[in-house]
Amino acid sequence: MTAIKHALQRDIFTPNDERLLSIVNVCKAGKKKKNCFLCATVTTERPVQVKVVKVKKSDKGDFYKRQIAWALRDLAVVDAKDAIKENPEFDLHFEKIYKWVASSTAEKNAFISCIWKLNQRYLRKKIDFVNVSSQLLEELPKVTEESVPSGENQSVTGGDEEVVDEYQELNAREEQDIEIMMEGCEYAISNAEAFAEKLSRELQVLDGANIQSIMASEKQVNILMKLLDEALKEVDQIELKLSSYEEMLQSVKEQMDQISESNHLIHLSNTNNVKLLSEIEFLVNHMDLAKGHIKALQEGDLASSRGIEACTNAADALLQCMNVALRPGHDLLLAVKQQQQRFSDLRELFARRLASHLNNVFVQQGHDQSSTLAQHSVELTLPNHHPFHRDLLRYAKLMEWLKSTDYGKYEGLTKNYMDYLSRLYEREIKDFFEVAKIKMTGTTKESKKFGLHGSSGKLTGSTSSLNKLSVQSSGNRRSQSSSLLDMGNMSASDLDVADRTKFDKIFEQVLSELEPLCLAEQDFISKFFKLQQHQSMPGTMAEAEDLDGGTLSRQHNCGTPLPVSSEKDMIRQMMIKIFRCIEPELNNLIALGDKIDSFNSLYMLVKMSHHVWTAQNVDPASFLSTTLGNVLVTVKRNFDKCISNQIRQMEEVKISKKSKVGILPFVAEFEEFAGLAESIFKNAERRGDLDKAYTKLIRGVFVNVEKVANESQKTPRDVVMMENFHHIFATLSRLKISCLEAEKKEAKQKYTDHLQSYVIYSLGQPLEKLNHFFEGVEARVAQGIREEEVSYQLAFNKQELRKVIKEYPGKEVKKGLDNLYKKVDKHLCEEENLLQVVWHSMQDEFIRQYKHFEGLIARCYPGSGVTMEFTIQDILDYCSSIAQSH
């Protein structure tokens, strides 16, 4: 162990100016035995620092390294585990507890003893040594630093050879003194014994001198002792005086304590008074209502602007007093309770006065507004409610106050407002719609034809009156074609453009009057009743059922404000209740327009769509947007019904067996519908609805044209198909309807095919025998007979050919063509003007047949010299002459 100690001193501690005093070989308790050393060290320089250092042998070589160091002043407890039995375990309590097992009990005890001694000498700190034998904790001799020569290395104890190293190095002063002494003695180095004897002699001389000096100073010591005795007597006297002074000061101290306690009580009283004054000032400042405000609440004039302003300020002041946040304990004060009760009474009184006054205002408004209805009864305008709204908005702040303080009365006012205004608006709107219906139908006498009577404006007309109207309003074109058709219930689509324009203007004016009326009322409700009106979901009339029962909101206590979503619903429900007659009246007006002329549904669809789009841009959840949206559905249904009726009428059409067909009525009606629709739907929002209607109608037209053509007996099928599809193609080309491009091409193809078919069929009759002869020739060639051998067939020899050709001289051909022209003229109608087109096509087809016959003669009868009795030029002259003569 000594060798290890010297090695550690040399390699680890000397370079750090430290001295190793004790060492113990240990390992951690409870783990694999990895040995290390705990070293107790002190620094060689002052101030002395005492440390416990853990040293561990390196894994890479046979040398030691410093692992961790703790300052001894951080050590709190040394636990030796057992003070009686030998036990190598011990604990050191630094910032945490370190458990160690020493290699031997002797090393552990020596290390703990060293720690105790270092603590006693350098730290003077109370380190708890637990379970340590008292023999190890012997008291060190009291040695001060002054008693140790400054030039000597100090050990922990005077003669502890285990703690202090045998060799102590000289300091610089000691080395200098020795050098001076050695310089004074020449043989100090060569003869050490002589030098030692000389030093011994000098030491004896010095000891003798010291003894003589002590003996000479004995008298002085006696004098000093007398002086000390006298000093002690003086000290006793001073102590007696101090005791008397202390007794005197004790009474003063008691008096000062009493004064201090009295001052504390005075300060406490002052503090309490200040706090009490603060609380009283708080209550007075926040719960005191001015007399002027009280008078305004009790007797204020709610009719004048100045009175309303005074009442508003007083109500706000009352609300602030009632809503003041009281501090803990205030509500237990009798004065506070009385003031709160007074405020509650004032609130109740003013709320009753305000509700009564506003109810009177609502009633008066209904009477005043009724007097203005007469002047609007002849004009298509709605009365203006702006003055009434302006007067009521002066009470908006008071309504907000009532809403926050007495929700029950606020709710009652809301219900009364809806009741009065709904009756007023119902009278105004019904009279307004009555005027609109009269203007649509003309005079009052004429309006009875449509089932209108009284001021309610309801439609009571029967199906017979509708049929009568339809027949009477049919145009000249329908009457001209009535001899061809038996259509039963005829549509009123032949009313002139002026009537339709008039209806369009009236309908637009109705919507234009309703829109600002509803928006103004909704805006007023939001401002007057302090409700938020944006971003709510659309509602229906069913949501207003609770309003009719007198309940505006559900589960809202008095004074509890509605959440935002409920306020939005409340606005919508109020508007539904107030304007509950708008939607039925609009539906009645739409039904009347549809009775007058089914094509009016086109105007209504465009106008209603535009107004719905405009209303949704302003507020998609507003009552106006929702109501117009519901009515738009009805208009769309009428529009779809109009389309379905037209298709049904196409299917029910019957043709006359005695006269030619010509352009079918539903083809002309489609042309009229398409032209009217294109003018109405120009730049409209709902173009898609029209395109769908076009598709349905055109397919119905195509199917029923073919159906009528198949049933026609007087007019050939090809003529019916050709004329009507030509008319359809011309209509689609003129209107340029983009969604019907495919149908336009189909109509053109059908027209071309049936024109060709009719021409070929008609030309087979003028040269009937010649046609049959050459058909037989072509049949023989088709059977496999060579063309040049056909002339050897008995039925088709040259003599038979000459015989057939002689039957058709130029004069006979011209006669046949003239008869054909007359026949075609009888088949075709004058409206479509296709006679010349058909005749020109027949001329071209006749020339094509002529060239075909000439070719067959040249191939099948070569060298026979047989030719036709007329030429191509003759054909051109015949056709031109016939066309000019007719």
Side-chain angles (χ1 to χ4, degrees):
M1 182 64 72
T2 304
I4 294 175
K5 184 176 180 182
H6 281 290
L8 295 176
Q9 175 68 52
R10 180 185 67 247
D11 297 337
I12 295 177
F13 298 111
T14 299
N16 292 328
D17 295 329
E18 292 178 306
R19 195 148 47 88
L20 176 61
L21 300 181
S22 181
I23 184 172
V24 59
N25 186 4
V26 297
C27 63
K28 288 187 177 181
K31 294 190 176 182
K32 293 182 180 179
K33 292 192 175 182
K34 292 185 179 180
N35 290 346
C36 59
F37 296 97
L38 293 180
C39 305
T41 66
V42 295
T43 58
T44 58
E45 295 181 356
R46 297 192 180 190
V48 177
Q49 297 181 7
V50 186
K51 297 180 181 179
V52 177
V53 182
K54 179 183 175 184
V55 177
K56 185 180 180 183
K57 195 171 185 179
S58 175
D59 297 334
K60 297 183 179 180
D62 192 14
F63 61 90
Y64 296 92
K65 64 179 181 180
R66 187 186 188 120
Q67 190 171 17
I68 189 171
W70 298 276
L72 190 63
R73 64 176 177 272
D74 296 333
L75 181 61
V77 178
V78 177
D79 186 0
K81 297 297 184 181
D82 198 331
I84 300 174
K85 296 180 180 180
E86 292 187 356
N87 186 354
E89 297 182 1
F90 66 98
D91 296 345
L92 299 181
H93 294 220
F94 288 100
E95 75 279 0
K96 66 179 183 178
I97 300 175
Y98 294 90
K99 298 181 180 294
W100 306 102
V101 179
S103 60
S104 67
T105 307
E107 286 186 13
K108 180 189 84 169
N109 293 338
F111 183 76
I112 292 175
S113 178
C114 182
I115 293 294
W116 185 82
K117 293 173 182 179
L118 289 172
N119 177 55
Q120 293 295 321
R121 178 171 181 79
Y122 291 107
L123 300 181
R124 298 287 192 269
K125 176 189 173 189
K126 187 177 181 181
I127 297 177
D128 292 335
F129 288 85
V130 182
N131 299 322
V132 179
S133 174
S134 59
Q135 297 176 359
L136 296 177
L137 305 180
E138 295 178 354
E139 185 70 26
L140 282 174
K142 301 215 173 182
V143 182
T144 62
E145 292 187 12
E146 290 80 1
S147 66
V148 181
S150 62
E152 300 177 2
N153 288 326
Q154 303 169 14
S155 62
V156 177
T157 60
D160 192 350
E161 294 299 325
E162 293 179 0
V163 177
V164 181
D165 194 84
E166 295 83 354
Y167 172 77
Q168 295 184 0
E169 294 180 354
L170 298 176
N171 58 29
R173 184 175 179 181
E174 289 173 342
E175 289 178 358
Q176 185 178 3
D177 291 341
I178 292 174
E179 287 178 358
I180 293 172
M181 292 174 64
M182 292 177 70
E183 288 176 358
C185 185
E186 295 179 354
Y187 53 85
I189 299 176
S190 60
N191 191 353
E193 293 179 358
F195 180 63
E197 289 178 2
K198 181 182 178 182
L199 292 176
S200 179
R201 288 195 300 272
E202 291 180 354
L203 181 60
Q204 291 175 359
V205 173
L206 289 174
D207 288 340
N210 286 336
I211 292 171
Q212 291 176 1
S213 176
I214 292 171
M215 293 175 66
S217 62
E218 182 177 356
K219 294 180 179 180
Q220 294 180 355
V221 170
N222 292 331
I223 294 171
L224 180 60
M225 292 299 293
K226 291 179 179 180
L227 291 174
L228 288 174
D229 292 337
E230 292 176 358
L232 289 173
K233 293 179 180 179
E234 292 290 335
V235 169
D236 292 338
Q237 292 177 359
I238 292 173
E239 286 182 350
L240 291 174
K241 288 183 178 180
L242 289 175
S243 297
S244 65
Y245 292 158
E246 186 176 358
E247 291 176 358
M248 294 171 64
L249 289 175
Q250 183 64 32
S251 63
V252 174
K253 180 179 179 297
E254 292 176 356
Q255 294 175 4
M256 291 303 296
D257 289 342
Q258 293 177 358
I259 293 173
S260 175
E261 184 177 357
S262 177
N263 289 337
H264 173 70
L265 294 175
I266 293 172
H267 177 71
L268 182 61
S269 176
N270 289 337
T271 303
N272 289 337
N273 289 334
V274 171
K275 289 183 177 179
L276 179 59
L277 179 61
S278 174
E279 297 295 329
I280 293 174
E281 288 178 346
F282 172 81
L283 293 175
V284 171
N285 292 335
H286 291 84
M287 295 192 68
D288 185 27
L289 191 61
K291 292 182 179 180
H293 289 332
I294 295 174
K295 184 176 181 181
L297 293 173
Q298 293 175 340
E299 305 172 359
D301 183 11
L302 290 171
S304 64
S305 298
R306 182 174 298 179
I308 293 173
E309 183 179 0
C311 290
T312 303
N313 295 334
D316 290 340
L318 176 62
L319 185 62
Q320 290 178 3
C321 291
M322 296 186 69
N323 292 338
V324 63
L326 295 178
R327 297 170 184 173
H330 284 178
D331 54 346
L332 302 177
L333 297 176
L334 179 60
V336 173
K337 292 181 179 179
Q338 292 175 348
Q339 191 74 343
Q340 288 178 334
Q341 184 60 42
R342 186 182 182 190
F343 290 157
S344 298
D345 295 341
L346 278 174
R347 179 190 65 185
E348 183 66 24
L349 173 63
F350 182 67
R352 285 200 304 268
R353 290 183 61 233
L354 178 62
S356 176
H357 178 76
L358 289 178
N359 279 326
N360 293 334
V361 173
F362 297 159
V363 174
Q364 186 62 34
Q365 165 65 14
H367 294 312
D368 294 344
Q369 200 74 14
S370 299
S371 62
T372 63
L373 292 179
Q375 66 184 45
H376 294 279
S377 59
V378 294
E379 301 175 3
L380 194 57
T381 57
L382 283 166
N384 187 6
H385 288 247
H386 175 70
F388 175 57
H389 291 165
R390 181 191 59 215
D391 293 340
L392 278 179
L393 283 176
R394 298 182 301 169
Y395 301 94
K397 291 184 178 180
L398 290 176
M399 283 297 294
E400 183 178 14
W401 174 86
L402 189 64
K403 179 181 179 182
S404 61
T405 58
D406 193 340
Y407 196 79
K409 289 187 174 57
Y410 168 83
E411 191 176 40
L413 272 178
T414 307
K415 180 181 177 299
N416 291 339
Y417 178 82
M418 289 188 296
D419 291 340
Y420 292 132
L421 267 293
S422 62
R423 291 195 291 268
L424 174 62
Y425 275 119
E426 186 172 5
R427 291 196 304 270
E428 294 177 353
I429 291 172
K430 286 187 176 181
D431 290 345
F432 172 73
F433 274 94
E434 180 69 21
V435 174
K437 293 169 185 176
I438 292 174
K439 287 184 176 294
M440 284 182 181
T441 58
T443 63
T444 306
K445 185 179 293 185
E446 290 176 349
S447 67
K448 293 181 179 179
K449 297 179 181 179
F450 301 98
L452 297 177
H453 66 88
S455 60
S456 62
K458 295 182 179 178
L459 296 174
T460 58
S462 62
T463 306
S464 60
S465 64
L466 173 61
N467 295 337
K468 182 178 180 180
L469 167 65
S470 302
V471 174
Q472 289 177 349
S473 60
S474 299
N476 294 331
R477 181 181 55 78
R478 181 62 57 84
S479 62
Q480 291 175 357
S481 60
S482 59
S483 59
L484 301 176
L485 301 175
D486 181 17
M487 298 182 62
N489 293 333
M490 299 170 63
S491 115
S493 60
D494 287 333
L495 288 174
D496 56 35
V497 177
D499 291 339
R500 288 174 178 163
T501 304
K502 174 184 175 183
F503 174 83
D504 183 36
K505 290 181 178 179
I506 294 173
F507 192 73
E508 170 64 23
Q509 189 172 357
V510 168
L511 296 179
S512 298
E513 288 288 325
L514 289 175
E515 185 172 345
L517 181 72
C518 294
L519 292 177
E521 184 62 33
Q522 180 167 315
D523 184 62
F524 167 75
I525 289 174
S526 174
K527 292 178 179 178
F528 182 70
F529 292 99
K530 295 300 178 182
L531 301 171
Q532 298 186 22
Q533 61 174 326
H534 298 293
Q535 302 300 326
S536 67
M537 298 301 293
T540 60
M541 290 293 288
E543 296 181 8
E545 291 180 357
D546 289 340
L547 296 176
D548 295 332
T551 302
L552 183 62
S553 60
R554 304 183 186 93
Q555 297 179 356
H556 287 291
N557 296 328
C558 177
T560 303
L562 289 170
V564 175
S565 59
S566 298
E567 290 188 353
K568 298 170 187 174
D569 294 338
M570 185 172 172
I571 292 178
R572 186 170 63 252
Q573 292 173 4
M574 290 178 67
M575 290 293 291
I576 291 173
K577 177 66 183 301
I578 293 172
F579 291 107
R580 58 189 174 187
C581 65
I582 284 184
E583 187 170 340
E585 289 295 332
L586 273 174
N587 287 331
N588 289 339
L589 188 68
I590 290 167
L592 174 63
D594 196 49
K595 269 190 175 185
I596 295 173
D597 184 354
S598 61
F599 281 5
N600 283 338
S601 60
L602 278 70
Y603 291 98
M604 291 187 287
L605 181 63
V606 172
K607 294 299 182 184
M608 190 62 70
S609 300
H610 176 70
H611 281 271
V612 169
W613 179 80
T614 304
Q616 288 181 343
N617 283 341
V618 175
D619 182 3
S622 66
F623 163 79
L624 179 66
S625 177
T626 304
T627 302
L628 294 183
N630 294 338
V631 176
L632 178 59
V633 173
T634 302
V635 174
K636 178 61 169 58
R637 287 176 184 155
N638 289 345
F639 174 75
D640 294 339
K641 183 179 177 182
C642 174
I643 301 302
S644 300
N645 287 338
Q646 291 191 56
I647 295 175
R648 179 176 54 79
Q649 290 172 2
M650 295 177 193
E651 296 170 350
E652 294 175 355
V653 70
K654 301 295 180 181
I655 59 172
S656 174
K657 297 180 180 180
K658 297 181 180 180
S659 59
K660 58 185 177 182
V661 176
I663 302 302
L664 293 171
F666 56 80
V667 173
E669 287 177 3
F670 174 78
E671 178 184 13
E672 179 187 7
F673 174 84
L676 180 64
E678 287 300 308
S679 65
I680 295 174
F681 278 80
K682 186 178 182 180
N683 302 323
E685 286 83 3
R686 298 183 67 96
R687 176 74 195 193
D689 294 332
L690 179 62
D691 291 342
K692 293 178 182 178
Y694 276 149
T695 304
K696 292 180 181 179
L697 281 175
I698 198 68
R699 297 320 308 175
V701 169
F702 279 16
V703 170
N704 288 286
V705 165
E706 190 164 355
K707 174 187 172 185
V708 172
N710 293 333
E711 296 174 355
S712 174
Q713 296 180 3
K714 181 71 175 179
T715 306
R717 176 179 183 276
D718 288 330
V719 173
V720 176
M721 297 286 284
M722 172 185 65
E723 288 183 328
N724 283 280
F725 279 107
H726 178 268
H727 192 86
I728 294 170
F729 170 70
T731 299
L732 297 180
S733 299
R734 174 172 55 83
L735 296 178
K736 298 179 181 179
I737 302 173
S738 59
C739 67
L740 297 181
E741 281 297 319
E743 285 77 6
K744 182 179 75 172
K745 293 178 181 179
E746 183 180 354
K748 181 179 180 181
Q749 185 64 41
K750 287 182 179 292
Y751 155 70
T752 304
D753 292 345
H754 288 285
L755 171 62
Q756 188 68 21
S757 175
Y758 177 65
V759 167
I760 293 173
Y761 171 78
S762 300
L763 283 177
Q765 297 176 359
L767 306 177
E768 185 176 1
K769 292 182 180 180
L770 194 61
N771 276 327
H772 285 314
F773 182 83
F774 282 109
E775 286 175 0
V777 172
E778 289 175 343
R780 294 296 186 276
V781 174
Q783 292 173 1
I785 300 175
R786 297 171 60 186
E787 290 182 341
E788 58 270 18
E789 295 178 357
V790 172
S791 60
Y792 298 106
Q793 297 290 322
L794 181 62
F796 300 101
N797 56 25
K798 297 177 184 179
Q799 289 77 13
E800 292 296 327
L801 175 62
R802 287 191 179 94
K803 186 187 297 183
V804 173
I805 289 176
K806 285 183 180 180
E807 291 185 10
Y808 295 100
K811 182 178 180 181
E812 191 66 27
V813 170
K814 182 178 180 181
K815 181 180 179 182
L817 289 174
D818 187 61
N819 293 333
L820 178 61
Y821 186 91
K822 293 177 181 178
K823 189 174 183 180
V824 170
D825 188 24
K826 290 181 180 180
H827 289 163
L828 299 179
C829 65
E830 297 179 359
E831 300 170 1
E832 205 59 22
N833 197 21
L834 287 178
L835 180 59
Q836 296 304 320
V837 175
V838 173
W839 185 245
H840 190 270
S841 297
M842 286 185 171
Q843 174 183 298
D844 294 340
E845 178 64 23
F846 196 14
I847 293 174
R848 189 193 66 77
Q849 288 185 8
Y850 178 87
K851 292 179 179 179
H852 178 64
F853 294 158
E854 287 287 336
L856 285 175
I857 292 172
R859 293 193 304 272
C860 297
Y861 302 96
S864 63
V866 179
T867 60
M868 303 288 283
E869 294 283 332
F870 54 92
T871 63
I872 292 177
Q873 185 60 44
D874 293 336
I875 295 174
L876 294 175
D877 293 340
Y878 297 157
C879 291
S880 176
S881 174
I882 292 170
Q884 290 178 2
S885 64
H886 291 280

